Amino acid sequence: MFNKKITLTLFIYLTLLLLIVPDRAYAMHIMEGFLSPGWCGLWYLLTLPFFILGLVAIKKTVTNDPKLKMLLVFAGAFAFTLSALKIPSVTGSCSHPTGVGLGAILFGPAVMAVLGSIVLLFQALLLAHGGITTLGANAFSMAVAGPFVAYGVYKICRLLGAKLWLAVFLGAVLGDLATYLTTSLQLSLAFPDAAGGVAASFAKFASIFAVTQFPLAVSEGLLTVLVFNLMSVYSKSDLIQLEVIPDEVGIK
Amino acid sequence: MNKKIMVNVLLLILTVTLAVFPLVYARDADFGGADGKAEEVIAEINSQYRPWFSPIWEPPSGEIESLLFVLQGAVGTGFICYYFGYLKGKKKPERD
């Protein structure tokens, strides 16, 4: 009952939000050369500890249970696929989901710092999408901030007694949005508005980036729930192993 | 079991709807890829800024770029389907 009300309120609020947005927007990773060397270095440094934590976490997961290796690759493949899908949005431009929420919820957020960075590296090198100099910043938004928010939201929802599907859905949606809000923040820090400073700049970037992203974030949420539904049928033991669902209790 | 399949089909339909709706809603938009256009926003704020680094390699044409994007999606999807196929196959003996 409680869940339903919140979902409905959120849905109505965000639908209204969509109806009043400006009709042009651009949203994706920060382009090559568009952050000054100082900012590039800073974001690389900020991402690095999470990347190392991620390597440790992956090693631990794989050593503890080699059977989970495939699921780990699966989480990477999910992010890989979703990042390739440039989907039209209500603002009249295209963006793509990130797909990092799934892995964050399954394995914890640190793991996605590695998997997400690999996806970004591929796109930067082969597609000139994002960039090498801005890889640190893009990794921080998509492979660190997104997964951590996804994981946090998911955990809090579960603690509050939300059903699995709702926790997964909200985690994936908000993780996706968090990625692009972080991108907006990074751009506004690097390009503060002459009059209003970082805040004005952030408002400008965020209204553009986050709104385009919203329907895509919802799509990502739906697809992540779909994957969880399939997993609960075909690989329940993995979900129990990862403590996503308690032993002996069915999920709804 | 049937109900679960229904839910999943519904999730897919919703996802497709979310992608198709903008094409109708924002009929006249150009649906451009974002990267190049973000420059305009930055130029608006700081017209002095010049990118200090260019991509090492860029796909020579839109066709090549879409090829690489499709490749990325196909490789990912390939593994996803392999994984679920593997799980389904593994689960079958348990059911029989």
Side-chain angles (χ1 to χ4, degrees):
Chain A
M1 191 61 203
F2 176 68
N3 281 340
K4 256 187 202 155
K5 256 187 196 158
I6 289 192
T7 321
L8 192 70
T9 318
L10 257 177
F11 181 74
I12 293 172
Y13 170 73
L14 292 162
T15 314
L16 286 176
L17 200 67
L18 288 180
L19 292 176
I20 54 163
V21 298
D23 58 7
R24 299 183 66 195
Y26 333 102
M28 258 183 256
H29 307 309
I30 302 175
M31 302 75 62
E32 187 79 283
F34 267 84
L35 288 179
S36 63
W39 283 112
C40 293
L42 178 75
W43 292 113
Y44 261 107
L45 280 179
L46 286 175
T47 305
L48 188 67
F50 293 101
F51 191 85
I52 294 168
L53 275 178
L55 288 177
V56 174
I58 287 177
K59 186 148 190 273
K60 209 172 124 197
T61 307
V62 173
T63 320
N64 282 351
D65 192 354
K67 191 167 67 96
L68 289 176
K69 223 182 287 177
M70 246 176 95
L71 187 56
L72 202 61
V73 180
F74 175 79
F78 189 70
F80 206 59
T81 302
L82 288 204
S83 304
L85 301 176
K86 296 202 228 175
I87 301 171
S89 180
V90 281
T91 51
S93 71
C94 296
S95 184
H96 61 77
T98 63
V100 293
L102 175 73
I105 291 168
L106 287 174
F107 293 102
V111 165
M112 292 320 285
V114 178
L115 299 182
S117 298
I118 295 172
V119 175
L120 285 167
L121 186 67
F122 173 88
Q123 294 200 323
L125 285 178
L126 290 180
L127 292 160
H129 182 64
I132 297 298
T133 58
T134 52
L135 183 64
N138 289 329
F140 191 86
S141 60
M142 182 178 133
V144 176
F148 272 85
V149 168
Y151 185 74
V153 168
Y154 162 77
K155 275 286 172 192
I156 291 168
C157 287
R158 289 300 270 169
L159 284 175
L160 290 176
K163 290 215 170 95
L164 182 67
W165 72 265
L166 185 62
V168 167
F169 177 74
L170 289 177
V173 172
L174 294 176
D176 186 313
L177 280 178
T179 296
Y180 287 88
L181 283 176
T182 309
T183 306
S184 308
L185 182 67
Q186 289 167 330
L187 281 173
S188 56
L189 285 171
F191 298 97
D193 194 79
V198 173
S201 205
F202 178 74
K204 208 178 269 182
F205 282 115
S207 68
I208 287 166
F209 281 67
V211 176
T212 299
Q213 197 61 26
F214 181 72
L216 307 195
V218 173
S219 298
E220 172 165 355
L222 295 173
L223 290 175
T224 309
V225 171
L226 177 68
V227 167
F228 266 82
N229 283 348
L230 291 174
M231 284 188 67
S232 70
V233 174
Y234 293 118
S235 59
K236 212 169 182 174
S237 62
D238 283 349
L239 288 180
I240 292 170
Q241 174 109 27
L242 290 163
E243 291 171 17
V244 171
I245 53 174
D247 209 349
E248 299 300 316
V249 178
I251 59 168
K252 274 187 135 183
Chain B
M1 196 61 189
N2 257 333
K3 197 183 142 207
K4 276 182 181 163
I5 293 172
M6 289 270 285
V7 169
N8 290 344
V9 170
L10 193 70
L11 285 172
L12 278 176
I13 292 173
L14 272 173
T15 309
V16 172
T17 311
L18 272 172
V20 173
F21 174 72
L23 297 176
V24 182
Y25 176 78
R27 215 174 287 108
D28 304 322
D30 55 3
F31 291 105
D35 310 48
K37 290 181 185 169
E39 296 178 28
E40 290 168 23
V41 183
I42 290 169
E44 208 178 283
I45 293 172
N46 181 353
S47 53
Q48 306 298 310
Y49 192 81
R50 297 284 173 271
W52 59 282
F53 199 85
S54 326
I56 301 166
W57 184 81
E58 273 183 83
S61 74
E63 275 68 26
I64 309 288
E65 188 181 352
S66 69
L67 166 70
L68 287 166
F69 266 109
V70 168
L71 192 67
Q72 181 185 345
V75 168
T77 311
F79 187 84
I80 290 171
C81 293
Y82 169 76
Y83 179 70
F84 278 123
Y86 168 79
L87 290 179
K88 194 176 164 94
K90 206 172 66 163
K91 196 180 156 77
K92 201 145 195 187
E94 289 169 23
R95 257 191 268 133
D96 292 338

